[in-house]
Structure formats: structure tokens, C-alpha cells
Amino acid sequence: MGEKEERKEETALKGGEEKTRAKKEGKAEEKAKAKGKAQPGKKAAPKRKTKTPKEEEVKPPLGTSGEEAEKLATATAKGEETKPSPQEEEILEPPSPDFAELLNLYENSLAKIREGEIIKGKVLQVDQEDVIVDIGFKSEGIIPLGEFGNHPQVKVGDEIDVYLESIEDQDGQVVLSKSRADFLLVWDRIRKAYETGEPIEGRVKKRVKGGMIVNLFGVDAFLPGSQIETKQVRDFDQYVGQLLTLKVIKLNKLRRNIVVSRRAILEEERQKQREKLLSEIEEGQVRKGVVKNITDFGAFIDLGGLDGLLHITDMSWGRISHPSELLALGDEIEVKVLTYDRQKERVSLGLKQLTPYPWENVEEKYPEGKKVRGRVVSITDYGAFVELEKGIEGLIHVSDMSWTEHIRHPSKVVAIGDIVEAVVLSVDRKNEKIALGLKQVEPDPWLTLPQRHPVGSKLVGRVRNLTSFGAFVEVEEGIDGLVHISDMSWTKRVQHPSEVMKKGEKVEVVVLDIDQENRRVSLGYKQAQENPWPELAGKYAKNVETKGVITRIYDRGVVVNLPGDVEGFVPLAHLGKPGIKKPIEAFKLKDELPLRVVEFDADERKIILSVREYFEGKEKELLDNYLAQHPAKTVKMKEMVEKPPEKEE
């Protein structure tokens, strides 16, 4: 800073001091008025009115008699000179030597005290707001307590440095400043540190908006939050009370503004460490570092001036979902230098490489057929991964989870964190794969199923599920058999399994077949009952007349339900209604028809009936009544859509 700038700054500073002095004088005056008395040491002279010579009264000296007083007044009026009385002579005598000595001492003290200088003072009194200081002058100075910073350290009798702003204000009060004195005492030292870049030490006092206040040689300096560390600071309070090495980065004497930085010191140190590290680092080295940042894909490690990337795949031989499972910000760890690009100054680090490779002798540790225990660490659509030890996992495929059930998703059997027992099925060290089986822990129930449920045996099972082609019935826990729709009734053609059985009910079935290779069991529902067709052969012999109720209508005929819960078929030509192209034109469901058996086939399990042959040889009146009951009608498209004829199988 040049001399010209210094003078400008000093001039501005004095102007500021004048304003400060005026404020303090006003404050002192207000306090005096509030207290109703003068400040300590203050000597205020009473005001009086000035009179003209004519208005002034001639007063005789003290102790003058009445006659002498009258003579004195007459002489004065005439302008004559008068001799002083003895009393007046006593009053007009020169001061004594003691008084002169005191006056001389006072004048000498004034000569030593000059405004704008730092002087010594003694604390006389400390109250809640102010500190009264004696500087050896005719009056004491009042300094606000806030200028002392740490209040409890100020006590009566302390000798302190103060800045004399004014010898006397309008109330005769000396104006002092403690903060100004502190600032000026250390200013040169701080300015030198600023100009040379020399580091200085300061203790953090408190936290404020935007940063910290630091005590620098007794004066306050501002440490911005961005200048505390080289990285983002989350907790500023941790620095309160700490002694930090700082660098002065900004000065303003007029405003008494000092800005310091700790980051500048740290960056200089980091640069030195970086240069040293770059000259020493090599691939394969093991170095210490501090976790600087954590991301989803890894962590950045500060090696001391240079950051290296520790990828998540190089953290552990085992499975981890996030780097925070192993590391935390600020952790000091040892890492291995995997690769180093000197041109781009990029370093790849490894943590797991400091431990032995776990797949080295995996075939010996986990031979095929061995039962092992592990923890489920991951589940996919095709299976579950089980951790056998750190760095070694095996896969249980969904097809190897159950002997008897069709598992759609592994989560139906296992959950993450479960401890399971499995059997080693195969080991592939080269590709780091182990196949495990969960169902292989128990014997295969299909191998002994024929012994437990031989073909032809009956059993009672619960209906587990219904489909369009049949029903699945539980043979035993985990094994279901299929009852096909064709094996549900001896006498009826079942359109849907729900016509015969319901889900959840127990039914008696017969084992028809067991396919161990494809793991299928065929069951029969009607086979659990006696075959009625041999008996029906006599009941529905050819030319036997009977009645039937229409249950289904097809284009080529109708199906009727006959007594004995057996079905028969009446072809279109045998319905006895000439001129119709489809049965639905003259008949509807639940119509009762007179019938005659024209064909009975026990092997094919079918009965063919005829209305036409029934009326052969009968009275014409009966036929007319029948035809009148079933008049032909034109079928509308809407009616066909709402009630379409059922399709014959």
C-alpha cells in the first residue's frame, strides 16, 4: 500500500473517528441527564448573563464598613482611583508555591497526552454496559463493555491500552476506544502478513451468518464458510474454539475489515503433497488414503494431493449394493494402486485386492453333491443367489426349488436374508459359477409315488383348480393329478368341470396313470363309480318309448336328458317338425319331447332317439297337438346373438 493511499485512508479514518466521538459525546450527555448528575471527574461551570458597565453594581470588598463603602462608591462614580483595602490586598496576592506546582504538573500531563494516540489506562469500574477507565487526566473515560470482547476477563484494577479519540467533548468527558486501540496495535503485523503471504494463527470465537469470527491477535477477523475447508463443511460448530493456521486474503483499514482463509493454506499444502505423490506413485503400491466422496458407483479416495477412484466392483469379493455399506466419509483406509495414467493423472484403486482370491480352491471346498448353508443375497426372475462365503455365491435356479410345485417366481419360496440349505450341483471356477439345488436336499417324491399310489387305487383329494379341460386334484402335498373332462361322467357329455365339481371340495378319484418322467398323474372321477351302461342296455333297448327334456340345442339336433340321469341325442330329421332348417326355429331349452329309441351303443356310450318314429302308428290328433306346441318361427338376428345355439363337441 503506497504512502498516498495511506494518507487518504488516515484522513477518512479521522473523519470516521470524529463521527464516533460525536456519538459517544451524545451518549455521555444522555446518560448524565438520565442520572441527574455529572460524570465522575467532570467540572461543569454554571452559565451566567453578561451585564453592561452601567448595569453592573459596584460591590465593596468583603469586610468593608458602611462609611468606607459609601466613599468607595462615590470615588468610583467620579472615576477616581481608590486603593484596595487590606482584605482586597489579601485576595489579590499571587498563588502559593504548592498550587503553582500542581498547576505545572497538570500542564505537563496535558503535554504528554495527545489525541489519536494509544495510551495506558486503568479500569476503575465495570458495570453491565460500560467500563470506566482512568488515564491520569482531569476526567475518566467511558468505554462500552462490548469493545472488550470476552466480558468476564475485564476487572477493576486492570491496566489496558486505549485509543484517545478526544481529550474533551462538549461535556468535558474524555473519549476513549478499546477496540480501536486493539486494532491499531496489530494492524501493522496483519498488514505485513497480508503483503508477504505469511501464515498466521487465529482462534475461532463463534459462528455467524456466512462463516466464522476469528480472534486474530486480539481483533476480530472474518473467516468465510467457503474458505474453511477444501470440501463442503456440514458442521461449522465443530471449529469453534479451535486454533487454525490462516492466511490474510483481504484488508480494509477504514472499515476495520479483515478477511482470512484456511482453504488457501490447505490448498498450498495439498499442492506440495501432490507434487511429491506424483513423483512416487506406481502401480501395485499399497497406500493410505481418506474417503473424500461416495457415489453410487464407488468412492473417491484422497491419497494426499491426488484423488483416486475405488470402484464398487473393487471394494469386496462379496456382493455389496452401495459403497456406503463398507465406507464412510473421512475413513482412513489402505488401498492398492491398480492403474495409473500419468498423462491424465487418473488413478484406479482396489480394496479387495488386498485379500486372497476366494475362488482359488473352490472345487475342493465345495465339491458336487455336498450340502452347504448360505444366506440369500439376491433374487431374480430365474432364481436366487446364495452367499456361501465372502466372494463366493451360488445360484439356485427356480426349477431346482421344488420337486412337486411349479414355482413361478423364486420369491414364493425364499426371501433376501434367509439362511437356506442346498446341494452343490456343479462348479465352474473359470466363470466363477456354482449351481445349487434346494429341492435336492430332500428325496424326489416322484420316485416312490407308484408305490404309495399304484394305478387303479382310489384316493380322496381336494380340488385345487378348475380349467376348461379338466380339474386338478391333490394326490398328496405338492403333487396334483388331472381329472380330464372326459373322465368326469359316464352318462353325460360335460361341457365344463364346474358342472360336476367345485374348487375346494373333496372328491374320490381313481389313479389312471403315473408318468414319472414328465411328472404327471392322470385321475378319473367317473371311474370311482360303477359303470351304468350295462344296466342301461335293457332300459333303453331299441323301440323303447320314453320322454326327454332338451338340455342343449345344436344345428344338427338336440340333446335330451332321459330318466336315470342319462343323455340321448335327437337328430334334426327325427324331431318330427318338417320344414325347419335348425332346431332352434321350433324348440327351446327345457322342452319335453316324446321319444322312441332308435339306436343304443354301450361301447360308444350313445343313445339315438326319434320323435317322428314315436308318432308312427299313433292317432293323428296327438301329432297335431305336438306340432301346435312347437310352431315354426323365424329366428331374428338379435335372438341368435342373445341365445346362440350351443356348439356340439
Side-chain angles (χ1 to χ4, degrees), residues 345-504:
E345 295 185 355
R346 291 181 181 176
V347 183
S348 296
L349 305 173
L351 186 62
K352 71 180 184 182
Q353 286 79 3
L354 298 177
T355 57
Y357 179 53
W359 288 82
E360 190 63 38
N361 300 314
V362 67
E363 298 95 338
E364 299 176 5
K365 290 189 289 185
Y366 302 104
E368 292 184 12
K370 181 180 180 179
K371 286 186 178 181
V372 294
R373 289 174 63 85
R375 180 173 62 91
V376 178
V377 293
S378 179
I379 294 178
T380 66
D381 292 338
Y382 54 85
F385 287 92
V386 178
E387 184 182 59
L388 303 179
E389 63 178 71
K390 283 295 182 182
I392 297 182
E393 294 178 5
L395 172 65
I396 302 177
H397 195 270
V398 66
S399 61
D400 290 314
M401 289 188 170
S402 175
W403 288 113
T404 57
E405 295 184 41
H406 177 67
I407 308 299
R408 294 186 176 181
H409 197 273
S411 59
K412 301 292 183 181
V413 181
V414 295
I416 292 178
D418 286 353
I419 303 298
V420 297
E421 188 175 33
V423 173
V424 178
L425 303 181
S426 64
V427 178
D428 183 355
R429 177 184 175 279
K430 183 179 180 181
N431 295 310
E432 296 184 356
K433 292 181 179 180
I434 295 180
L436 301 175
L438 192 63
K439 68 183 183 182
Q440 286 79 1
V441 175
E442 301 293 336
D444 185 358
W446 284 91
L447 296 177
T448 57
L449 185 63
Q451 286 75 32
R452 298 192 302 276
H453 301 285
V455 175
S457 63
K458 291 183 178 181
L459 60 91
V460 177
R462 189 180 303 277
V463 178
R464 295 284 298 271
N465 194 20
L466 297 177
T467 67
S468 60
F469 54 84
F472 286 95
V473 178
E474 185 180 50
V475 176
E476 59 181 43
E477 186 177 359
I479 298 178
D480 294 340
L482 174 64
V483 179
H484 195 268
I485 196 171
S486 61
D487 292 316
M488 288 189 172
S489 175
W490 287 110
T491 58
K492 293 183 178 181
R493 181 167 291 182
V494 180
Q495 302 298 309
H496 194 273
S498 58
E499 298 175 13
V500 181
M501 55 186 67
K502 296 179 180 179
K503 185 178 180 179

Side-chain angles (χ1 to χ4, degrees), residues 285-300:
Q285 284 183 342
V286 176
R287 305 191 71 93
K288 287 186 178 181
V290 178
V291 179
K292 185 177 180 180
N293 190 23
I294 295 177
T295 66
D296 293 337
F297 57 84
F300 288 95

Side-chain angles (χ1 to χ4, degrees), residues 190-210:
I190 294 173
R191 184 175 62 180
K192 181 181 178 182
Y194 172 67
E195 293 174 350
T196 61
E198 177 187 355
I200 55 177
E201 290 187 341
R203 190 173 298 278
V204 180
K205 289 174 60 177
K206 60 182 178 180
R207 177 181 177 181
V208 294
K209 184 177 180 180

Side-chain angles (χ1 to χ4, degrees), residues 136-153:
F137 194 52
K138 64 177 182 178
S139 62
E140 292 82 18
I142 299 176
I143 303 175
L145 188 60
E147 291 192 24
F148 286 80
N150 197 356
H151 301 169
Q153 292 184 357

